[in-house]
Amino acid sequence: MNAPLTPTALGIGEARARLPELTVVDVRTPGEYAAGHLPGALNVPLDRFPSVLPALRRLPAGELLVVCASGARSENACRLLAEQGVTALTLTGGTQGWAADGHALRRPESGARAGWAMERQVRFTAGTIVLTGLALGLLQPAWLLLSAGLAGGLVFSALTDTCGMAAVLARRHRATEPWARRARKTPSGGPGGPT
């Protein structure tokens, strides 16, 4: 039987009570994860799901909890998993709701650097592009179209609850990770190369 395409939301209180029996997967970027995550959560950004899908399929139904900052990305992850026959739960309110409810977030002991949350990265990038378009527009009015285009993209993003800029920023971030640089240098199929 196929998993339902509408994710089942788990409230924070219920998630806390069931935490020892759940496998928690945090779909945020490594920088967001390092800034604070649920106890025992594994960091598997959304685009890496195909590589972990076989392991996720082996989990009993109802024992996989997918989390993100607010719940939006985890709902999308649950839908992707459902299309592959994997039943997963999403945390209502995400890690923000978890922390707001007074529960502690875990952070890496050392070595990992906490980065900006994806929402902050998007705001910074959008603001920089708008300011650049306005500044260049003083020299050549056609550059004002850059700011207008970004404004249209932000409106579309809000209406569709998607964010193409976040996807691009996440891809850029992954390309700069040490494992990604090693994979580009190693021939496909060789030791350390992509599988």
Side-chain angles (χ1 to χ4, degrees):
M1 179 165 83
N2 288 340
L5 291 179
T6 303
T8 301
L10 196 61
I12 293 171
E14 188 178 355
R16 182 163 170 77
R18 293 186 55 195
L19 202 57
E21 68 191 54
L22 295 170
T23 299
V24 182
V25 174
D26 191 321
V27 297
R28 298 175 302 157
T29 65
E32 291 175 291
Y33 175 84
H37 54 270
L38 269 66
L42 306 169
N43 186 214
V44 182
L46 204 49
D47 68 312
R48 295 188 192 156
F49 267 47
S51 65
V52 298
L53 196 54
L56 296 177
R57 280 193 178 119
R58 290 191 292 269
L59 293 171
E63 292 190 10
L64 175 61
L65 177 63
V66 181
V67 300
C68 67
S70 65
R73 282 180 278 178
S74 62
E75 284 183 16
N76 289 336
C78 287
R79 284 188 194 95
L80 290 173
L81 289 168
E83 290 170 2
Q84 299 298 317
V86 178
T87 302
L89 307 166
T90 182
L91 179 64
T92 302
T95 54
Q96 293 171 349
W98 180 269
D101 209 38
H103 305 298
L105 295 174
R106 302 288 187 262
R107 290 169 177 79
E109 301 280 331
S110 63
R113 192 182 89 213
W116 284 3
M118 184 57 66
E119 181 183 344
R120 186 175 179 191
Q121 293 177 47
V122 167
R123 288 192 318 254
F124 177 80
T125 303
T128 301
I129 292 171
V130 167
L131 287 175
T132 301
L134 291 174
L136 292 173
L138 295 173
L139 302 172
Q140 175 55 260
W143 280 104
L144 294 174
L145 293 174
L146 178 66
S147 298
L150 183 63
L154 291 171
V155 169
F156 177 79
S157 175
L159 292 174
T160 61
D161 197 22
T162 61
C163 189
M165 189 180 297
V168 169
L169 289 171
R171 235 180 267 124
R172 188 200 64 69
H173 173 74
R174 284 187 302 281
T176 62
E177 292 175 345
W179 62 266
R181 288 192 301 267
R182 283 193 306 273
R184 283 194 301 267
K185 291 178 184 176
T186 306
S188 181
T195 54

